[in-house]
Amino acid sequence: MDEELNQRISQLIDNELSHDEALSLLHKMRKQPQLLDKMSRYEAISHAVKAEVFLSAHTDFAERVRQQIQHEPAYLLPQHNPLLRRNYKMFALAASIAAVAIMASQAPHAPIEPFRAPDMAMVKPQTPAATMTKPQAQEEPSVSVAFRPVQQDQFSTRFNDYLQAHTDSVYINGQANFQSYARVAAYGRE
Amino acid sequence: MKQAMSELNYQGTVAFLKNGRLETMKYFHAAEKGVQQERLLSLNSPLREIVRDADKVSCLFKSTQQIVVDHRPFGGSFLVDMPENLDELSATYDFIKVGEEEVAMLPAYVVVVQPRDDFRYGKRLWLEQQKFLPLKVELYDGSGNTLEQVVFTELQVKEALPFVDVNLAQSAAAAGDVQHIHQLQPQSPDQATFVVGSLPPGFREIFFTRRSMHDSKQPVEHLVLSDGFASVSIYLEKSSPSGAQAADNFQTLGAVNFFSRTLGGSLITVMGEVPAKTVRFIAEGIKLRHSNE
């Protein structure tokens, strides 16, 4: 049974299910959250294999968007003038997009950022006060991130070197900065 | 679990979610007569093969044939670092079996390694029920949010697996180059120009050395602390204009937090896979050994 479900989740991701089959599976997912987690994992692997890019959305993302849209004031206003109504629709659409952007930027989980060239521009500055009041993961924007400007290169090199000396996970992530280690080889002792 | 990880031959596909990046790799662990080798093959660009023999990590980039041979201060595992003696962690972590789940179609026990304070992150381990190999490892913060994840999508235990010989000469001859990051001699922490005044419970000094880095004119002092699971590095170097700019500032990269401050003309940076609170706590307790500052 599990195997069959796994197969159908995989088919859903690949858009190979009929409308009724997809609907039935989605109903099951609503009742069994672990199936949603499974689909999320399959999606992650599928994206990684096919496109090297993966943006994660929370499992309740669609539900939160739906709830936000339900609370849009535009839907409660009188809509006598068709032109005015169209304007309200546009306003509602813009507000929804803004709401989605805000919700995405405040997602509680750690960010899963798109693949970037390996440089330490990924190190993001934070103010001490902000960092100490909340855990780091809650402070991190999940989609749009403002990085330090280019003149921080020297600054970034230092932190990249620190990271590489501290952990070998830089090899897994392909983030190693090997240039500086040419100098380490010159000064290091065997 | 640690015994299974070191003594069994196994291979599979692993997804690493670290520092905001997802990497899917083929994983091989070969073991014979107490000698073990880990090997990772990336499935996505930049294509590379990473081999760990004890404390030596070799990384071959397929496209450029560039090889980096890095002698780490101590050995470990690409999957999860486990201390030799779990009893030592009992003062700082609780180990709780919370249930059973399936990972990679294999039944697994779910074990939570719960920190007893907020100076460190917690871990969730999914251990395969027959061999106790880790099928999935999660690092989570105080709010329960997952910061890092390592998960097998398929795993096979084998009778034997071949050891790979990283043929540096042949690869270098193929127009690539080899960069060595040499083993640095451990020195006594007493030789450091700084002392760590306040350590969170369970952390102790495990390695100290001086190394040349980036554009520093003088060697950078590097002290490693560990509580058995989490490790923290402290770096001290002569402060430069860019260093002064970095001072009194937090940085974060995935689960890794950095905090820098200047002290007597030196830049001190504390970093590690611990909460921001911890790196700041350690950094603010650091004093110069021969100074009243």
Side-chain angles (χ1 to χ4, degrees):
Chain A
M1 187 60 187
D2 268 350
E3 265 197 47
E4 188 189 340
L5 266 177
N6 293 341
Q7 179 66 28
R8 290 173 67 188
I9 291 172
S10 177
Q11 287 176 308
L12 179 68
I13 291 171
D14 293 331
N15 202 23
E16 292 173 359
L17 288 183
S18 68
H19 176 269
D20 290 344
E21 287 172 329
L23 203 58
S24 165
L25 184 58
L26 289 170
H27 278 306
K28 276 186 184 158
M29 284 182 173
R30 178 174 287 182
K31 291 174 186 169
Q32 302 178 51
Q34 68 271 25
L35 293 180
L36 272 177
D37 292 338
K38 189 170 281 184
M39 185 172 78
S40 181
R41 285 204 301 277
Y42 282 13
E43 271 187 314
I45 293 164
S46 172
H47 279 246
V49 170
K50 291 175 185 169
E52 302 178 2
V53 175
F54 177 58
L55 285 170
S56 167
H58 288 271
T59 50
D60 62 346
F61 184 77
E63 176 61 22
R64 288 165 65 185
V65 171
R66 189 185 66 79
Q67 287 178 0
Q68 190 72 17
I69 289 173
Q70 274 188 339
H71 288 90
E72 287 294 342
Y75 288 91
L76 304 177
L77 294 174
Q79 301 177 2
H80 300 302
N81 187 332
L83 182 62
L84 200 58
R85 187 168 61 187
R86 193 159 59 241
N87 285 341
Y88 283 142
K89 281 183 177 175
M90 290 176 68
F91 173 74
L93 180 63
S96 300
I97 291 169
V100 168
I102 291 167
M103 286 162 57
S105 70
Q106 293 179 342
H109 286 287
I112 301 172
E113 295 167 354
F115 180 85
R116 288 186 173 82
D119 67 54
M120 283 295 291
M122 293 184 68
V123 175
K124 297 177 282 297
Q126 295 194 339
T127 62
T131 311
M132 293 305 292
T133 51
K134 278 187 171 184
Q136 288 287 344
Q138 293 187 348
E139 291 293 316
E140 295 300 314
S142 64
V143 176
S144 58
V145 176
F147 294 111
R148 283 211 165 196
V150 179
Q151 62 264 29
Q152 299 297 329
D153 278 354
Q154 177 64 35
F155 174 79
S156 298
T157 301
R158 172 183 289 111
F159 280 77
N160 199 21
D161 286 352
Y162 288 168
L163 187 68
Q164 187 165 345
H166 176 75
T167 174
D168 52 27
S169 70
V170 289
Y171 295 109
I172 294 172
N173 291 347
Q175 289 173 307
N177 174 12
F178 301 116
Q179 183 60 36
S180 60
Y181 274 90
R183 287 189 281 277
V184 172
Y187 292 109
R189 289 180 294 173
E190 189 76 58
Chain B
M1 169 188 167
K2 189 171 178 66
Q3 188 178 3
M5 284 178 68
S6 59
E7 293 181 0
L8 293 177
N9 293 282
Y10 49 100
Q11 67 180 49
T13 307
V14 189
F16 292 89
L17 180 57
K18 283 176 181 270
N19 300 351
R21 289 166 181 261
L22 178 66
E23 289 286 346
T24 313
M25 302 181 122
K26 284 286 182 187
Y27 176 88
F28 303 87
H29 181 271
E32 187 177 6
K33 296 177 182 172
V35 181
Q36 46 179 322
Q37 183 184 71
E38 275 185 305
R39 187 158 65 100
L40 288 170
L41 285 173
S42 66
L43 300 180
N44 306 304
S45 295
L47 293 183
R48 59 207 181 278
E49 180 172 5
I50 309 158
V51 179
R52 182 204 296 279
D53 293 291
D55 60 355
K56 187 177 82 173
V57 176
S58 308
C59 183
L60 166 65
F61 287 82
K62 300 286 186 187
S63 57
T64 60
Q65 288 297 300
Q66 181 193 26
I67 296 178
V68 177
V69 181
D70 187 352
H71 294 269
R72 311 295 301 179
F74 16 75
S77 167
F78 292 127
L79 301 177
V80 57
D81 280 330
M82 294 293 292
E84 289 296 332
N85 186 2
L86 288 180
D87 293 339
E88 291 176 4
L89 302 178
S90 58
T92 45
Y93 293 95
D94 288 317
F95 290 76
I96 310 159
K97 183 188 161 197
V98 294
E100 298 180 15
E101 291 181 7
E102 292 192 344
V103 177
M105 306 293 285
L106 295 169
Y109 297 117
V110 187
V111 177
V112 170
V113 184
Q114 180 72 36
R116 292 191 171 188
D117 56 34
D118 53 1
F119 281 116
R120 59 213 97 218
Y121 293 134
K123 277 191 170 80
R124 279 185 283 264
L125 307 171
W126 281 256
L127 305 178
E128 193 272 327
Q129 292 187 1
Q130 297 293 319
K131 307 287 188 184
F132 299 105
L133 287 170
L135 296 172
K136 181 176 171 182
V137 180
E138 276 185 359
L139 188 72
Y140 65 91
D141 66 12
S143 304
N145 298 323
T146 300
L147 303 174
E148 292 185 350
Q149 196 174 91
V150 177
V151 56
F152 274 97
T153 58
E154 53 97 11
L155 175 69
Q156 299 151 11
V157 177
K158 302 282 189 183
E159 281 297 314
L161 282 173
F163 281 74
V164 171
D165 182 22
V166 182
N167 193 334
L168 300 181
Q170 186 182 355
S171 299
D177 62 326
V178 181
Q179 293 183 15
H180 282 276
I181 300 171
H182 293 268
Q183 180 75 60
L184 296 170
Q185 294 297 322
Q187 302 173 23
S188 166
D190 295 340
Q191 295 182 31
T193 57
F194 64 91
V195 288
V196 185
S198 49
L199 279 178
F203 278 92
R204 59 190 177 87
E205 298 169 348
I206 61 169
F207 179 79
F208 173 74
T209 193
R210 290 184 173 86
R211 59 172 79 225
S212 288
M213 287 180 142
H214 34 264
D215 291 332
S216 62
K217 298 289 187 290
Q218 296 179 0
V220 177
E221 296 187 12
H222 181 196
L223 177 67
V224 181
L225 313 169
S226 174
D227 72 348
F229 258 142
S231 61
V232 171
S233 281
I234 302 173
Y235 298 93
L236 180 143
E237 62 180 289
K238 282 289 174 191
S239 187
S240 61
S242 63
Q245 194 179 16
D248 293 320
N249 206 349
F250 275 105
Q251 312 293 324
T252 185
L253 181 68
V256 183
N257 284 297
F258 300 72
F259 182 76
S260 298
R261 61 181 285 233
T262 52
L263 185 63
S266 297
L267 177 70
I268 291 172
T269 300
V270 182
M271 54 83 63
E273 287 176 322
V274 291
K277 167 188 174 173
T278 310
V279 290
R280 181 168 194 165
F281 177 80
I282 295 171
E284 291 184 339
I286 292 174
K287 295 180 172 61
L288 293 179
R289 191 176 293 278
H290 303 295
S291 166
N292 294 325
E293 192 167 346

